[in-house]
Amino acid sequence: MMSSEGGKPKKAIALKYEPTKEEAPRVIAKGKGHFAEDILEAAKKNNVHIQEDPALIELLSTLEIHQQIPEELYEAVAEIFAFIYKLDKSL
């Protein structure tokens, strides 16, 4: 996911979800500015879908690396994973 608002530095959060191993997606990388650009570059290089959602980025940026998303964000993150799943199926 990424966010860029006006003159603010770009932010990026990378999530990973392994349903057979975890209860919820977890943060595997986060950064802003040059670090965000590096995360986005790695995602593009590995054909990982990128979703822009500034409000969700702000909430997720408060989490620590390897921390699972809190239950109150399940619905918002599930919508993004469902969207990505549909994109993958259409390719």
Side-chain angles (χ1 to χ4, degrees), residues 4-67:
S4 57
E5 298 176 10
K8 293 183 181 179
K10 186 178 286 189
K11 293 181 181 180
I13 306 285
L15 299 176
K16 183 174 184 178
Y17 182 45
E18 297 182 69
T20 59
K21 296 180 181 179
E22 305 170 312
E23 292 179 20
R26 60 188 166 85
V27 175
I28 59 168
K30 67 179 189 173
K32 63 181 178 179
H34 293 295
F35 292 116
E37 293 293 339
D38 290 345
I39 292 168
L40 294 171
E41 178 80 22
K44 290 174 187 172
K45 192 180 290 185
N46 290 287
N47 296 316
V48 173
H49 295 288
I50 299 169
Q51 177 70 31
E52 191 165 344
D53 188 330
L56 188 55
I57 287 288
E58 288 304 315
L59 293 170
L60 292 172
S61 67
T62 64
L63 302 177
E64 298 297 324
I65 302 294
H66 302 297
Q67 184 177 350

